[in-house]
Amino acid sequence: MVAAKDIDLVGGALALDFVNTAAGRGTPGFFDHLKAGDDLADWLGHAGVLEVEAAGDLRGKLGSRGEGGLLQQALELREAIYRVGAQLAHGKAADEADLETIRDSAREAMASAPLAWNGKEYRFDFAAGLPEAAVLGPIAWSALEVLSAGGFERLKQCPNCGWLFIDRSKNNSRLWCDMRTCGNQNKGRRFRARH
């Protein structure tokens, strides 16, 4: 299986790429790439959330599943974003508790992140905040950007693996998270069924 640091980033938004660190939710084929704090640190560096060195420095602070540490907080945020995205991708309203989880994560990250000038605008410098802000801030902020942008007819869920993605194709016809993987698997299944 692919390591967290090698996952294809095909979601179209950081929050969706983070959601896509797990696949096959609700099926026997469920797989979670974030089994330990090291996996999360690797993914943070891979996705550009943090510089690779800074992500490495976080390894000891991330903790492990179930112990209430930063990894557990990240997984709770991930699943809230997933549930909201899956609901919206299927034309349903998002659950208020999940929206609250996203909002609370963003609010807590913003509280410790200074505003910094990047040469053209002020942005939250989550990396300069507390470890929680450095990890959860950019992801929660990305989720808020997806939610505030609207256009949910372009938010889709791959029918093969369950990953979420923004369809940026001209005619809004993208079906798969990635044609090279899920699209080809589906084509192969259809071919075998016909022959």
Side-chain angles (χ1 to χ4, degrees):
M1 199 45 108
V2 175
K5 63 183 173 57
D6 298 321
I7 296 173
D8 289 335
L9 304 175
V10 298
L14 176 65
L16 300 181
D17 288 330
F18 185 56
V19 162
N20 296 343
T21 58
R25 288 174 175 88
T27 72
F30 175 76
F31 186 81
D32 192 343
H33 292 277
L34 303 182
K35 294 182 170 122
D38 287 353
D39 298 327
L40 178 56
D42 288 344
W43 184 85
L44 292 166
H46 169 61
V49 175
L50 297 171
E51 296 294 325
V52 174
E53 302 80 36
D57 292 344
L58 270 177
R59 288 181 192 279
K61 297 176 181 149
L62 292 173
S64 60
R65 289 175 169 270
E67 67 177 36
L70 189 47
L71 174 62
Q72 191 62 37
Q73 291 174 44
L75 295 175
E76 289 168 8
L77 175 61
R78 181 187 71 181
E79 294 310 306
I81 296 169
Y82 169 75
R83 288 187 297 269
V84 167
Q87 291 292 98
L88 295 174
H90 295 284
K92 298 177 183 172
D95 183 73
E96 188 59 39
D98 291 326
L99 292 171
E100 188 174 318
T101 297
I102 296 167
R103 186 195 68 221
D104 289 348
S105 292
R107 183 182 63 233
E108 290 167 15
M110 288 170 31
S112 74
L115 280 169
W117 179 253
N118 68 6
K120 60 181 181 172
E121 64 189 356
Y122 282 95
R123 302 283 297 186
F124 286 102
D125 184 1
F126 293 112
L130 297 172
E132 292 82 359
V135 172
L136 304 179
I139 296 165
W141 193 259
S142 172
L144 292 177
E145 287 175 338
V146 169
L147 291 171
S148 65
F152 299 128
E153 68 279 356
R154 290 196 172 268
L155 179 60
K156 297 186 178 179
Q157 185 169 25
C158 180
N160 191 49
C161 68
W163 278 14
L164 296 173
F165 61 91
I166 298 172
D167 180 356
R168 298 197 196 285
S169 66
K170 189 173 187 177
N171 60 356
N172 194 29
S173 61
R174 183 173 158 197
L175 297 175
W176 314 104
C177 63
D178 185 31
M179 194 60 200
R180 294 172 296 148
T181 53
C182 289
N184 284 340
Q185 288 173 10
N186 186 61
K187 281 183 172 182
R189 276 194 297 272
R190 286 193 328 227
F191 177 80
R192 285 187 297 280
R194 284 193 312 261
H195 294 66

